[in-house]
Every structure is written in C-alpha cells, then in structure tokens.
C-alpha cells in the first residue's frame, strides 16, 4: 500500500459526499496521552490529519454506508472522544456520544480538483478540537465509489486506519474474511493511556542513553545532517516512489536473511553508510515505534505510536541490528518522565525522522491491492525531513517530505536518493535484470555498493 499525499491523489471527478454525525458531549473526562497532548497543544491548524482511501468492491446505498460507519465509530472509544480547553486554557479530553446524522454534498468549485476539494473538507473537519475530529467521505462516479476516511492524528495511526477499513468492510458485509464476526467493542485507547501511566519508571540505563543521543544532537531531537535552508517552516515537497517491486523486494529480503538480519536492519545499514560518507557523522534520527505491547490492542484504534531515537555509527549488519533493537527498547518506556529534564520532547527545526511499517507482519490485513487502498498524508509546512518506508506484498514503497527550499532537494537527495534504485544509473545485470543498489550483498559490501551509487541526486519519496 502506498503512502501518498493529498496533493498527489489520482481521483476521478464525481460527487463528493460527507457524512455529518450527531454529537453530544457527556462531560466524562478522559486521560490524555503524552503524544496526544503534544500534538493537540499546537492548536487548530490545517494538515493535522491522516487518511486512507479505498474503492468499494460493490455499490452501497448511502444509508447502509452511514449505518456501518456509525457501528465502526461506536466500536472504538477514541472515535467517541473530543478535545477542548477549559476557561484557563487547560487541555481536556472528554467522551462524546455519536449518533445518526445526515449526508451532505460537498461543493467542488469551478477549476478545483477533487484533491483540493477533499483537502479543504478534511482541513476543516479534522482539526484537533473538532467534535468529532474524523470524517467519512464518499466519492461517487458512474463506474465506481471510493471511500475516504480521515481523522486528526491524535486519535489514529497507520495501523488504526487499517483496523477502521477492515471493520467498515465487515459491517458492510464486504469483507473477504472466511469468518466475518460481528463487530465488538475493541479495547479502548483510554485504557492504554491509563495502563502506560501505571508502568514502572524507565531504568537508569534507558534514561542515560536518551540523554547521550540528545546531547549528541545538540540537546534536541535528532536533526537532518545536511543543509536545508533557513530553519523556519516552508512549503513542503513530497515525493513518493515504489522503491522495490515484488521480485526485488524478495531478493533484498533473502539477502538480509542470509546475513541473519531483518529487512529494516539492511535499510538502516545502507542509510548509515551514506550518512557517514556524506555528513561525516553517525546516522541519528527520530524513530517512531508502536506501543501495542500486548495483543489486546491489536484491534484497537488510537495513537499507539511514540517517538524513539536511533543512533547508528557502524554500517555492519550486526551493529545496525543492535541499533534497531536499542531504538525499540528506548521507545518502550513512558516518555513523559524520560523527557522531563528537557521540559518535554525537545523538538527543533530540521528534525529528521525515519518511519518503517511492514504491513505483512501486522495482525490486521486488508486486500490493499484489490481495494486500491492508499494511505494519504495532509499538506503542511515543514522545516524537517521525514522518510516513511512501507513494505507490503507489492514491494517496498517510500515517501519523503522535506522543505521546498533551494538546498532541500539537493541535500535530501544526496542522503536519501541512494536507497532508491530508480535514482541511480544502470548498474550491472542481475539474473538478466538491471541490478539496483539493493541487490548487492549488504555485509561488508554496503559501503562499496552505496559509493557506487553516490551520484544520486533525486530524492526518494
């Protein structure tokens, strides 16, 4: 499944419907997670949402779709909650009831693309303090219907979006599951927030290691190691690529297995080598990890992602495997207490993040190819660099977001472009096919392989 951007969606022109639900606040206060508070405290703003789209496998009446959507909402506690502020400006999260409403037709202005119309709808409907801050839209043409669901990020992550799609298809009776269970109420993200707050304090070694990585980054979260221009938010540049097809992905995974490391470790090995060559520094990056530490959260919706950090100074596979393992360990403890000495998460302009999601390993599956499903990112202004890798049955996909400044494409491309075979010139043949940098053996050869492709200038995306 590709992770694209709302500006790059390929949507046919058609009727754009949105479903307005009826909402009532209950006054029941709920706990707020560390990451929710950090996100929502930034206030109303466009582009705080994430979305997923998929083509309905059969024609569905609007009232049937609405009923199924309400069933999904009421299965997941976080979709029945909303943020607000009290008279002193303090952040509140409270329970809401969500009931039947009405469909509305969203206007598409003359000359406006469907992408722009959809972006405007979600920017308005999915802001952090909206109640609710999620929305279901339906794009109808004479030939097909496409569902697009968006939510403010405070209530969802990528895993959650798959849960929502799966549950909606089940409610519609369109799931390809052999057994289609009746939707049940999943474990609430509120329960997770409470459980996380009750966990034991992080060990001294974990807090010390966090301090070492942040100190090496200038007492802030890791930043992109090459120039990006003036350190203020700029218009974003987003590029999306299918890095490896099925065959190349299988060959890359086989090579990683031969080296007794994961596919993720092999990617970190490649990026470590390039960073050392170009920046003369170790690879340091924000490294999101999920906090679904127990199977009871597998079918839940919520923001189960928290930021860890990764530091990798040696491209050897064994060393990179240790760096990945350490990053997961550093992100496995409640961050609020760990980051208290810095007054919270010490963000700074130029932050660099690497996200990895292997959809094949998730316990939640949908037919993303048959449904033509896509993850959709919002349009924002940015001063940092973010790489999203997604691995699924169709291969390895990559999205990159960076500031659209004069040095942005050049410096980001120098680091990230070399992990994309499309960005390199033709290399040696491999089994009758053009070899990509990924085809070269990783152990002991990573640096040589990447040097061979170090002319890359086009950013992966």
């Amino acid at each position: 499944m590709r992770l694209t951007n709302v500006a790059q969606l390929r949507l046919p022109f058609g009727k754009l419907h949105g479903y307005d639900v009826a909402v009532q606040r209950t006054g029941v206060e709920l706990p707020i997670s560390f990451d929710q508070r950090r996100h929502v405290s930034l206030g109303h703003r466009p582009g705080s949402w994430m979305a997923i789209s998929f083509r309905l496998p059969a024609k569905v009446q609007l009232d049937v779709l609405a009923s199924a959507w309400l069933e999904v909402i009421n299965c997941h506690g976080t979709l029945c909650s909303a943020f607000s502020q009290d008279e002193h400006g303090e952040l509140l999260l409270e329970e809401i009831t969500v009931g039947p409403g009405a469909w509305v037709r969203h206007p598409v202005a003359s000359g406006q693309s469907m992408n722009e119309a959809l972006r405007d709808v979600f920017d308005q409907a999915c802001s952090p303090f909206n109640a609710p801050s999620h929305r279901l839209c339906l794009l109808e043409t004479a030939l097909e219907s496409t569902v697009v669901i968006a939510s403010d990020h405070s209530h969802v992550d990528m895993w959650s979006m798959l849960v929502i799609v799966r549950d909606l298809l089940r409610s519609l009776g369109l799931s390809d599951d052999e057994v289609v269970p009746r939707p049940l109420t999943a474990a609430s993200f509120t329960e997770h927030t409470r459980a996380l707050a009750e966990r034991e304090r992080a060990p001294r070694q974990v807090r010390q290691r966090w301090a070492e990585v942040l100190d090496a980054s200038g007492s802030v979260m890791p930043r992109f190691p090459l120039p990006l221009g003036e350190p203020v938010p700029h218009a974003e540049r987003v590029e999306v690529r299918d890095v490896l097809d099925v065959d190349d992905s299988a060959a890359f995974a086989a090579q990683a297995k031969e080296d007794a490391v994961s596919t993720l470790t092999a990617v970190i090995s490649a990026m470590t080598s390039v960073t050392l060559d170009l920046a003369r520094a170790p690879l340091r990056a924000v490294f999101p990890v999920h906090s679904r530490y127990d199977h009871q959260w597998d079918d839940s919706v919520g923001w189960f992602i928290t930021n860890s950090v990764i530091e990798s100074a040696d491209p050897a596979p064994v060393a990179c495997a240790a760096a990945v393992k350490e990053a997961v360990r550093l992100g496995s403890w409640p961050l609020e207490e760990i980051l208290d000495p810095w007054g919270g998460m010490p963000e700074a302009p130029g932050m660099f993040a690497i996200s990895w999601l292997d959809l094949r390993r998730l316990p939640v599956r949908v037919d993303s190819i048959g449904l033509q499903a896509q993850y959709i990112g919002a349009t924002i202004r940015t001063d940092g660099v973010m790489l999203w890798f997604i691995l699924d049955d169709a291969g390895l996909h990559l999205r990159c977001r960076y500031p659209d400044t004069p040095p942005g494409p050049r410096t980001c491309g120098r680091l990230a472009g070399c992990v994309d075979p499309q960005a390199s010139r033709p290399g040696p043949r491999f089994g009758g096919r053009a070899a990509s940098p990924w085809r070269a053996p990783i152990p002991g050869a990573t640096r040589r392989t990447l040097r061979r492709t170090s002319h890359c200038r086009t950013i992966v995306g």
Side-chain angles (χ1 to χ4, degrees), residues 186-208:
S188 171
F189 182 66
T190 294
E191 299 172 44
H192 179 272
T193 301
R194 290 194 178 107
L196 203 62
E198 293 170 359
R199 296 190 73 186
E200 61 182 310
R201 190 169 186 248
R204 181 185 59 81
Q205 299 94 324
V206 169
R207 288 181 277 116
Q208 180 179 332

Side-chain angles (χ1 to χ4, degrees), residues 52-333:
I52 192 167
S53 70
F54 63 97
R55 181 182 53 81
L56 282 173
K59 195 74 172 178
V60 174
Q61 296 298 318
L62 289 179
D63 59 341
V64 174
L65 180 58
S67 178
W69 175 231
L70 288 171
E71 189 171 27
V72 172
I73 291 173
N74 287 289
C75 280
H76 299 288
T78 193
L79 300 181
C80 296
S81 66
F83 287 93
S84 62
Q85 290 175 303
D86 65 16
E87 62 272 20
H88 304 294
E90 291 297 317
L91 197 62
L92 298 174
L93 176 63
E94 65 180 309
E95 181 185 89
I96 60 175
T97 60
V98 181
W103 286 97
V104 297
R105 175 86 176 270
H106 292 298
V108 181
S110 176
Q112 185 181 36
S113 69
M114 296 303 299
N115 302 32
E116 293 171 332
L118 200 62
R119 180 200 62 203
D120 291 347
V121 168
F122 291 154
D123 278 349
Q124 181 177 359
C126 302
S127 190
F129 289 107
N130 283 15
S133 60
H134 51 73
R135 189 162 187 81
L136 178 143
C137 286
L138 179 69
L139 175 58
E140 284 189 310
T141 70
L143 299 177
E144 61 185 30
S145 297
T146 300
V147 171
V148 192
I149 300 170
S151 172
D152 182 72
H153 195 356
S154 59
H155 297 291
V156 296
D157 53 25
M158 289 186 178
W159 184 327
S160 298
M161 300 307 284
L162 284 182
V163 172
I164 290 173
V165 172
R166 182 205 62 188
D167 288 357
L168 183 62
L169 290 172
R170 284 179 174 178
S171 293
L172 290 169
L174 297 176
S175 173
D176 59 359
D177 294 347
E178 293 183 6
V179 178
V180 182
R182 182 176 179 80
L184 300 173
T185 301
S188 171
F189 182 66
T190 294
E191 299 172 44
H192 179 272
T193 301
R194 290 194 178 107
L196 203 62
E198 293 170 359
R199 296 190 73 186
E200 61 182 310
R201 190 169 186 248
R204 181 185 59 81
Q205 299 94 324
V206 169
R207 288 181 277 116
Q208 180 179 332
R209 188 67 184 116
W210 265 98
E212 291 171 355
V213 175
L214 294 184
D215 287 349
S217 303
S219 295
V220 296
M221 298 295 279
R223 291 181 286 188
F224 193 71
L226 297 171
L228 292 172
E230 189 178 359
V232 296
H234 298 270
E236 67 177 4
R237 176 69 63 180
V238 178
E239 300 194 32
V240 179
R241 291 197 178 173
D242 297 319
V243 179
L244 299 176
D245 62 19
V246 176
D247 292 339
D248 285 332
S249 182
F252 182 48
Q255 181 64 66
K257 184 177 181 180
E258 183 179 325
D259 304 332
V261 298
S262 67
T263 307
L264 168 58
T265 293
V267 170
I268 294 299
S269 173
M271 296 197 70
T272 299
S273 185
V274 173
T275 304
L276 289 169
D277 284 345
L278 298 179
R280 305 299 179 190
L283 172 67
R284 294 189 188 94
V286 178
F287 190 75
V289 297
H290 77 78
S291 58
R292 298 177 193 252
Y293 54 83
D294 190 279
H295 286 302
Q296 68 173 312
W297 314 114
D298 286 356
D299 295 312
S300 298
V301 171
W303 190 346
F304 291 91
I305 296 294
T306 193
N307 285 330
S308 183
V309 287
I310 188 168
E311 182 178 64
S312 177
D314 183 350
V318 173
C320 290
V324 170
K325 185 176 181 180
E326 178 186 64
V328 172
R329 184 169 65 94
L330 294 179
S332 297
W333 300 90

